[in-house]
Structure formats: structure tokens, C-alpha cells
Amino acid sequence: MKIGRINELNDPFEFLGVATKSASLRRRYQRLKDGLNDYMGLVCFSANWDNPVQWAHYADRHRGICLGFEVRAQAHKVTYVSERLLARPSAMKSEGPKAEAHVTEILTTKFEHWSYEDEYRLFPQLQERDPSGRYFLAFDDQVALREVIVGHRSAISRADIAQALGPLAPQVIAYKARLAFRSFDVVRQKNDRLWE
């Protein structure tokens, strides 16, 4: 699974959500963000898969897939707020619990309009890059793939999923999604005959 880089995220306020008029303090927080970007990334999860907005934004307008994971690693729940965080420069002066708490707060706070994501985050350290220059998190007992949900507009077949999963196939449930009939949700297509 691809590890996202902190400086390449789609929300420009990511890790810079601190409110301050001080240019020097803003530079300090930018240096913190750049430093974190050099040694760690993030992997984002949602608590649920039924939101049609997420399918539109993150799964190629319902033509892609959603992966369901069993996450045993320590995942941090994102907090959604209407106001930017208070700057706490005193917490940043030395290492310790106050600095860690403030950095964790920065890493897990987003503007309330993102709340539809219902997000949890892992922050893996960056190890080896692949030939394309990207970093990946291996599936293991801490982050195990358990579901593949195919978007209702997707042309991906059962055979495509089985081939892609290879030896993981027996541990993973695959099914097709559909739009709910009486709500604005995405739900499981229970009629297996409608997905080849």
C-alpha cells in the first residue's frame, strides 16, 4: 500500500493548521512539517466505505475499488474542527510529552469540511523507496487486507480480483457495491449474479 508523503497531500492546510500572525512561528511550523516529511509518511483509512462522496473522490467516480483492512497497528483518529489550532511554541522548545502531544494534534487535525472521510491515520517511518521513488507499506499482521469492494460502475471482474490477490485470495472477501435504493449510501450488492 502506497505511503503518502506529508508535503504532497491534497489539503494545503495539512500539518499547517496552526493559527498565528507571526511569520517566524509559521516558518517554524513549516520546518517541522518538512522535517516530518523527510522521515515519515502517512496511510489514511476511513471508518466506513458507504459514503458516495468518497467513492467519487477516491475511487475514480465509482469505477475503482475500496480496500477493507484489519488494522492492529496504532491508528490515530482525525479530529475535525471549525477553527485553526492554537500555536504552542513553548511545547515545541524541547522533546517530551508536551511536544509529542502537540505534534500528534497537528498530525490529526483537519478542517471540519473533511469530516465525511471519518479518517484514521498511521504514520510509518520511510524505509526503502521502490524504483519509481515511492514508499510502500507491506501487508502484515498489523495491517491485513480483508475486503475488496468493487465500485458499482467498475468493469473489474471476479477473475481480475482473484488474479490480483494471488495467494492472498483465500483471506480476502471480494464483492460488488451498488447504490442504495432508499438512502444516499453505497451498499453491498447481494445479488452475486449481477457481478461476473
Side-chain angles (χ1 to χ4, degrees), residues 93-109:
K93 288 186 177 176
S94 61
E95 293 182 18
K98 285 184 181 181
E100 286 179 26
H102 187 49
V103 170
T104 300
E105 180 183 35
I106 291 167
L107 294 172
T108 59
T109 301

Side-chain angles (χ1 to χ4, degrees), residues 13-29:
F13 288 99
E14 287 281 5
F15 311 122
L16 295 174
V18 175
T20 180
K21 291 182 179 181
S22 166
S24 65
L25 194 51
R26 285 194 307 273
R27 283 192 298 274
R28 197 165 160 199
Y29 279 99

